[in-house]
Amino acid sequence: MASKLNPKLFTWLFLPAFMLLILYSTFLPLYTPSSPSSSQYSKPKLSISSSCNLFKGQWVFDPARKPMYDDNCPFHRNAWNCLRNERENMGRINSWRWVPEDCELARVDPSGFLGLMRNRNIGFVGDSLNENFLVSFLCILRVADMGAKKWKRKGAWRGAFFPKFNVTVGYHRAVLLAEYVRQTREPGSSTEKGSYRVDVDVPADDWAHIAGFYDVLVFNTGHWWGYDKFPKETPLVFYKAGQPIQPPLEMLDGFKVVLENMVAHIEKQFPKTLKFWRLQSPRHFHGGDWNQNGSCVFSEPLDESQLDLWFDPRNNGVNKEARKLNGVIKEAIEGSSIRILDLTHLSELRADAHPAIWLGKKDAVAVWGQDCMHWCLPGVPDTWVDILAQQIRYSVETGW
């Protein structure tokens, strides 16, 4: 016959266990894990409105803000790995938080975002500033899938596959978006050193065959559209339908025609794809251009009142091209289904966040000058990722 449990013994056994349960349930919500996948990166509770302007706001110093990845991310590019290159003030650079005026910008939750994008693919097409963007994106998403593998298919320059979620993120290097090739000097030509043929209606081969693969695409071009890249001694010569455009176009006019044709191509080839165009990332060369000893060794962001002096094309400064080209880009995109990622203004303020002289290679500055165009990682592009992720999430939830 089973023995009865002594009431006093039951009390002594049950009461301590009950008290421990109460204490655990009381204090558990106050515990904040220190790992990158903690709740501080969770999905915001408020809904995202289509009227929410994430691009207008201010940088607020937040000492509690920490990067989500370090110098050991396998997707880093050496010259932008400012932690490994021991760039000064990296702690302070990453302690600024972008606060939009009219709505909340949450830090991306890597696991939640990859879960949302499960069985989907994301592509970046453009120049090295979109690669800068991509590296930040890959390092952040890797927090949720440490088994992420390097990926280079479909003509991609680089990328990653996240096996836990079956998500691929790739970058296709196409600095002009349109196809261009070097031409030797032709008889009777005024260009002794040759020229570069740009077929305005032909996408660069690096991204010409990606239709149907990506569910989200982020485009950009602009940083190569300058005489520092294509001097007048070796100019861009524009072709359409296989024939030279007459009269010949100057560079800015050629830029406009390329944009018009590439936007038309994108609309035709990617009708169901969620499409973004990232506007220009500003440079911060002070005292001269990159090849004129221009410098960006700053310790603080710029003040709002300084921006026009730095970037307004009317002041003809060395950093004027971002706003100038943005106007052309907006005009070309207007009326299309491509959505604008206007990351220019928030980035204009961050003169303090470039690799500058910390490039990871001996004599790099002597050869190439300071890098006041690309961004340190971790750094400003991490905020770009937060914005892009929030825009994608809103689009997915509303059926884009």
Side-chain angles (χ1 to χ4, degrees):
M1 182 174 180
S3 61
K4 294 183 179 179
L5 187 63
N6 188 304
K8 290 185 177 181
L9 180 59
F10 177 83
T11 302
W12 282 106
L13 287 173
F14 177 78
L15 187 59
F18 180 75
M19 291 302 295
L20 282 172
L21 181 62
I22 293 294
L23 286 170
Y24 180 75
S25 62
T26 300
F27 288 105
L28 182 61
L30 300 179
Y31 173 68
T32 304
S34 58
S35 67
S37 58
S38 70
S39 59
Q40 62 178 312
Y41 305 119
S42 62
K43 175 178 172 180
K45 293 181 180 178
L46 65 145
S47 61
I48 308 171
S49 166
S50 60
S51 62
C52 172
N53 185 353
L54 297 171
F55 311 118
K56 187 176 182 182
Q58 61 181 326
W59 290 98
V60 175
F61 188 70
D62 180 2
R65 185 179 176 88
K66 304 297 180 186
M68 296 178 70
Y69 57 95
D70 59 21
D71 60 323
N72 293 314
C73 172
F75 305 115
H76 266 301
R77 183 166 165 175
N78 184 55
W80 308 333
N81 191 346
C82 291
L83 288 174
R84 182 164 295 177
N85 298 337
E86 300 181 339
R87 194 220 191 278
E88 293 178 355
N89 297 320
M90 279 299 288
R92 189 167 183 83
I93 285 172
N94 283 285
S95 293
W96 291 94
R97 176 168 53 90
W98 179 250
V99 180
E101 285 185 2
D102 303 319
C103 49
E104 179 183 340
L105 174 63
R107 295 191 82 171
V108 62
D109 167 12
S111 182
F113 180 78
L114 282 170
L116 180 74
M117 298 304 295
R118 187 181 297 276
N119 301 323
R120 293 186 173 107
N121 303 317
I122 303 170
F124 292 76
V125 180
D127 56 37
S128 60
L129 270 298
N130 251 12
E131 183 185 359
N132 209 180
F133 196 175
L134 169 102
V135 173
S136 169
F137 202 34
L138 297 184
C139 288
I140 287 174
L141 294 183
R142 180 177 174 265
V143 170
D145 188 353
M146 298 300 281
K149 301 174 182 179
K150 293 182 179 180
W151 181 88
K152 191 176 180 180
R153 299 178 186 175
K154 300 284 183 180
W157 184 266
R158 62 186 304 187
F161 173 65
F162 298 87
K164 284 176 61 177
F165 302 90
N166 191 31
V167 171
T168 297
V169 182
Y171 162 66
H172 298 259
R173 186 176 186 270
V175 298
L176 303 183
L177 290 185
E179 184 70 28
Y180 80 99
V181 294
R182 180 72 183 264
Q183 295 186 133
T184 57
R185 183 190 177 193
E186 297 179 1
S189 171
S190 60
T191 56
E192 296 182 1
K193 298 181 180 180
S195 61
Y196 289 89
R197 169 175 170 162
V198 181
D199 286 276
V200 301
D201 51 349
V202 180
D205 193 57
D206 303 73
W207 68 284
H209 309 290
I210 62 173
F213 183 72
Y214 291 110
D215 301 277
V216 179
L217 282 168
V218 182
F219 295 93
N220 98 292
T221 186
H223 295 285
W224 279 61
W225 291 88
Y227 291 110
D228 58 327
K229 299 291 188 183
F230 299 103
K232 293 184 177 181
E233 294 79 16
T234 54
L236 298 178
V237 179
F238 298 96
Y239 284 67
K240 187 170 185 180
Q243 299 297 319
I245 295 176
Q246 296 293 343
L249 302 176
E250 291 295 327
M251 187 173 292
L252 186 60
D253 292 324
F255 179 60
K256 293 177 181 178
V257 175
V258 165
L259 287 178
E260 290 168 0
N261 282 271
M262 291 300 100
V263 168
H265 174 82
I266 291 166
E267 289 284 81
K268 181 180 179 181
Q269 294 296 318
F270 308 99
K272 297 182 180 180
T273 303
L274 178 60
K275 302 175 285 291
F276 295 93
W277 198 293
R278 180 187 58 75
L279 295 187
Q280 291 301 95
S281 173
R283 310 183 312 159
H284 288 93
F285 288 100
H286 180 69
D289 214 326
W290 66 272
N291 56 354
Q292 299 169 333
N293 296 318
S295 176
C296 54
V297 183
F298 297 99
S299 58
E300 295 289 323
L302 296 177
D303 187 78
E304 186 85 28
S305 63
Q306 298 174 276
L307 297 186
D308 284 348
L309 183 62
W310 274 77
F311 302 108
D312 193 321
R314 292 172 295 184
N315 294 322
N316 203 34
V318 297
N319 305 293
K320 63 181 181 294
E321 82 289 334
R323 293 189 183 183
K324 184 177 181 180
L325 296 183
N326 276 355
V328 179
I329 295 168
K330 289 178 182 178
E331 185 176 339
I333 292 174
E334 186 176 3
S336 75
S337 63
I338 302 171
R339 309 180 189 200
I340 288 178
L341 276 178
D342 190 358
L343 303 173
T344 305
H345 175 70
L346 68 89
S347 304
E348 284 181 344
L349 294 158
R350 297 305 304 276
D352 60 313
H354 296 282
I357 61 175
W358 293 274
L359 301 176
K361 284 188 178 181
K362 185 179 179 180
D363 301 327
V365 175
V367 176
W368 300 106
Q370 294 190 30
D371 188 350
C372 302
M373 180 171 70
H374 300 101
W375 301 94
C376 278
L377 295 177
V380 170
D382 300 347
T383 296
W384 298 359
V385 171
D386 292 338
I387 292 174
L388 175 61
Q390 192 151 316
Q391 297 274 46
I392 291 174
R393 182 166 68 82
Y394 173 75
S395 300
V396 170
E397 291 177 351
T398 56
W400 92 65

